[in-house]
Amino acid sequence: MTDRETEAPEDRKPQSDEARSAFTQPIGTVAPAPVVEEESASTTSEFALPEGFSVPPADPVESEGSAFTPPRTYSAKQSPPAFTPPHGIPVVRLTKEAPWQDRMRTMLRLPVAERPAPEKPQKEDEAGPAVPRVLDLTLRIGELLLAGGEGAEDVEAAMFAVCRSYGLDRCEPTVTFTLLSITFQPSLVDDPVTASRTVRRRGTDYNRLAAVFRLVDDISDEDDEAAAISLEDAYRRLAEIRRNRHPYPGWALTGASGLLAGSASILVGGDLIVFVAAAIGAMLGDRLAWLCAGRGFPEFYQFTVAAMPPAAIGILLTMAHNYVDVRASAVITGGLFALLPGRALVAGVQDGLTGFYITAAARLLEVMYFFVGIVVGVLIMLYVGVQLHAQLNPDAALSGTPRPYWQIASSMALSLAFAVLLQQERSTVIAVTLNGGVAWVIYGAMHNAGGISPVASTAAAAGLVGLFGQLFSRYQFASALPYVTAAIGPLLPGSATYFGLLAIAQSDVDKGLVSLSKAAALAMAIAIGVNLGGEISRLFIKSPGAEGRRAAKRTRGF
């Protein structure tokens, strides 16, 4: 036994504070016996197995298991409820039987995670096109469509179709009245790429619009891989579309303005003299508007100047009533038909009904400015006529008896002239002319023969125009605007607008506001009817997916 082992306890020196821990039990104290708690009250881990649960023995063959192997605690008799609904998960099938507009609308209304992958996967050894160039091409195509008057929904669908065709499926286009933007996110960990473009100039050329639609249709054609359009070919075709000349010369556009105004004057009870006077007034107004446009005047002043010649000619004919018996109100009404912005009105209401409220508000504000310009031009001339004691009769244009054959022919001529003014393709002129004649037949049968209110008759006729226009466009895989806009020309509220302005000029403000309210109601009936007809046409078109185009779900405004 060593000396340290035989040393007495009192001879041992205590350790210093640095040599022992603060939690060491002091010398000479006796530690109490540990308290044994009940097993049920002991603290266990949250991952511990419950009482009475036995772990089955491990499978010696497959101890590690696969990612697709069910857990060992899985039981087919006591399986958890399945996540898949009983009716299954709807699958979006991108078939060529459906137009690319409907296919892309269906895709845009799906969340990014639920969109199906492109049907043509890119090869690993094949380098895809540069992302900035694809986004630039997409924005250029969207700019031409939006500047041509296309609705925001179709512009978004076209932009998404172009991006998806070149392999950029995780993209989100955004369309407003003057700004286009698109964002592409390669993955959840990569930085997104965003590009934007501002629409500064707008021009009505439905021939160019149809060419852009054909380009988008060819780009998004996934059935014919041999005829796939490369990025360079798409840029080349887009440059050719931009350089494409208008299908009609300037003198044809001026003549179409005169034909439109003359045909509209026949619709409201005019005769041959009224037809000639309205045509001359509209052509003078068109030339003055071109002169103002060449000098850089805004469109507000162009509409103001263009509205003055028809009103001035109508007032002069009224003052010459001793020599010639002419209904001046029919002359002025015919001149207004060539100026009413029906195209912008339909596009604005369509954007509002499809959920693009910012773009719709901007389009409707543009329509209001154009309408105010027309009001200012006509009111100036009417005020001059009142000061010159011209005998302007507000009811002169309504006193004539209905002439169905003349009015049907005039409505078709009006739609024909409107199609020329919109620079439509010559192949679509016949279809839109017949569509305008059908619209006036429906309106005349309901209002003149059936005694139904003009607002309801106009809405029904416009709905039929929208239905036929959408069917024509889907058959041709083209835009619906060339088949719809010109066909609603005979339904525009030219007479109600003139009567309201005349009453205001004669200091009868209440009557004038009532007439202008009627004109606004007719305009809204046209726009809503066209959109409703387009939505009804989808019932006859095979839509991709189980649900087709998804709509926003709202409950009583919340």
Side-chain angles (χ1 to χ4, degrees):
M1 182 176 298
T2 62
D3 297 340
R4 179 173 293 274
E5 293 177 351
T6 58
E7 186 178 1
E10 57 272 6
D11 297 337
R12 297 177 184 176
K13 297 182 180 179
Q15 297 179 350
S16 62
D17 294 339
E18 292 80 3
R20 58 187 177 87
S21 172
F23 299 97
T24 304
Q25 186 175 356
I27 299 176
T29 59
V30 180
V35 180
V36 180
E37 300 180 356
E38 296 181 1
E39 187 178 358
S40 59
S42 61
T43 304
T44 59
S45 172
E46 58 180 341
F47 299 102
L49 295 176
E51 183 179 358
F53 185 86
S54 60
V55 180
D59 190 0
V61 179
E62 188 179 1
S63 59
E64 183 177 356
S66 172
F68 300 96
T69 304
R72 297 186 177 92
T73 58
Y74 177 82
S75 174
K77 297 181 180 180
Q78 300 178 355
S79 60
F83 176 76
T84 306
H87 57 274
I89 300 177
V91 179
V92 179
R93 302 183 183 277
L94 302 180
T95 58
K96 189 58 182 177
E97 287 77 7
W100 65 264
Q101 298 99 311
D102 292 336
R103 286 184 283 150
M104 295 303 111
R105 284 171 181 159
T106 304
M107 296 280 295
L108 280 173
R109 277 160 176 75
L110 288 173
V112 178
E114 298 181 12
R115 293 175 184 172
E119 296 181 3
K120 296 189 303 182
Q122 185 176 329
K123 298 180 181 179
E124 295 182 358
D125 57 347
E126 180 182 355
V131 173
R133 297 201 66 195
V134 174
L135 299 183
D136 178 71
L137 175 67
T138 302
L139 291 175
R140 291 177 182 273
I141 290 177
E143 179 189 10
L144 285 180
L145 293 176
L146 188 63
E150 189 60 72
E153 185 180 29
D154 287 333
V155 176
E156 275 199 359
M159 294 173 63
F160 184 77
V162 174
C163 283
R164 181 178 174 81
S165 300
Y166 289 111
L168 309 184
D169 56 327
R170 297 178 63 89
C171 61
E172 289 294 338
T174 304
V175 177
T176 58
F177 186 59
T178 57
L179 182 65
L180 298 171
S181 64
I182 186 166
T183 301
F184 170 68
Q185 189 172 9
S187 64
L188 295 178
V189 296
D190 294 331
D191 295 333
V193 181
T194 302
S196 61
R197 194 174 184 89
T198 303
V199 181
R200 303 187 183 277
R201 296 189 60 186
R202 301 178 183 274
T204 304
D205 190 347
Y206 283 179
N207 183 32
R208 179 180 297 175
L209 191 70
V212 176
F213 261 74
R214 285 194 295 269
L215 174 60
V216 177
D217 184 38
D218 294 339
I219 291 176
S220 60
D221 188 2
E222 300 178 352
D223 293 341
D224 192 0
E225 298 183 1
I229 298 180
S230 64
L231 196 62
E232 299 298 332
D233 293 338
Y235 265 107
R236 178 183 53 80
R237 288 184 55 177
L238 189 63
E240 293 177 356
I241 292 173
R242 285 182 174 274
R243 292 193 301 264
N244 188 21
R245 299 187 62 181
H246 300 304
Y248 308 102
W251 62 266
L253 299 180
T254 303
S257 298
L259 178 61
L260 192 154
S263 302
S265 65
I266 299 296
L267 288 178
V268 293
D271 51 13
L272 181 59
I273 299 178
V274 171
F275 178 89
V276 174
I280 294 175
M283 288 188 290
L284 289 177
D286 181 76
R287 289 293 91 190
L288 288 177
W290 276 103
L291 181 62
C292 293
R295 297 298 185 271
F297 282 89
E299 287 184 298
F300 176 84
Y301 300 106
Q302 297 177 26
F303 275 84
T304 301
V305 172
M308 289 183 176
I313 292 178
I315 293 172
L316 292 177
L317 292 177
T318 301
M319 297 177 64
H321 64 279
N322 295 328
Y323 304 97
V324 59
D325 186 12
V326 176
R327 292 173 181 170
S329 57
V331 177
I332 301 175
T333 300
L336 291 180
F337 266 85
L339 300 176
L340 293 178
R343 171 184 58 87
L345 176 66
V346 171
V349 175
Q350 180 181 0
D351 289 341
L353 295 176
T354 52
F356 296 86
Y357 301 113
I358 297 178
T359 308
R363 288 187 188 271
L364 294 178
L365 184 61
E366 181 188 36
V367 171
M368 187 191 72
Y369 272 103
F370 291 164
F371 188 77
V372 170
I374 298 171
V375 168
V376 171
V378 175
L379 278 180
I380 291 175
M381 291 293 101
L382 291 180
Y383 181 77
V384 173
V386 171
Q387 297 301 319
L388 295 176
H389 304 287
Q391 301 298 325
L392 297 172
N393 185 8
D395 299 327
L398 299 179
S399 60
T401 58
R403 296 170 297 175
Y405 296 106
W406 281 100
Q407 290 177 338
I408 293 175
S410 299
S411 64
M412 296 178 66
L414 191 152
S415 299
L416 173 63
F418 212 160
V420 174
L421 286 176
L422 294 174
Q423 300 282 0
Q424 292 189 196
E425 290 182 311
R426 298 180 181 180
S427 59
T428 63
V429 171
I430 297 178
V432 74
T433 301
L434 296 176
N435 203 6
V438 170
W440 185 260
V441 168
I442 298 300
Y443 173 81
M446 296 181 63
H447 178 59
N448 297 331
I452 303 176
S453 67
V455 176
S457 303
T458 300
L464 197 62
V465 167
L467 174 62
F468 288 163
Q470 288 288 342
L471 293 178
F472 283 143
S473 67
R474 291 303 186 269
Y475 177 74
Q476 297 291 337
F477 289 89
S479 173
L481 288 180
Y483 298 96
V484 171
T485 306
I488 64 173
L491 305 176
L492 293 176
S495 58
T497 303
Y498 165 68
F499 294 149
L501 299 180
L502 178 58
I504 293 176
Q506 293 178 345
S507 301
D508 194 352
V509 180
D510 295 337
K511 185 177 180 180
L513 292 179
V514 170
S515 185
L516 290 179
S517 300
K518 178 183 177 181
L522 291 174
M524 293 298 295
I526 293 174
I528 296 176
V530 168
N531 182 265
L532 182 60
E535 297 297 329
I536 293 176
S537 68
R538 303 181 193 280
L539 299 176
F540 306 97
I541 300 174
K542 184 179 180 180
S543 299
E547 299 181 5
R549 185 179 71 170
R550 291 189 176 184
K553 296 181 180 180
R554 309 193 185 278
T555 306
R556 297 181 182 179
F558 295 100

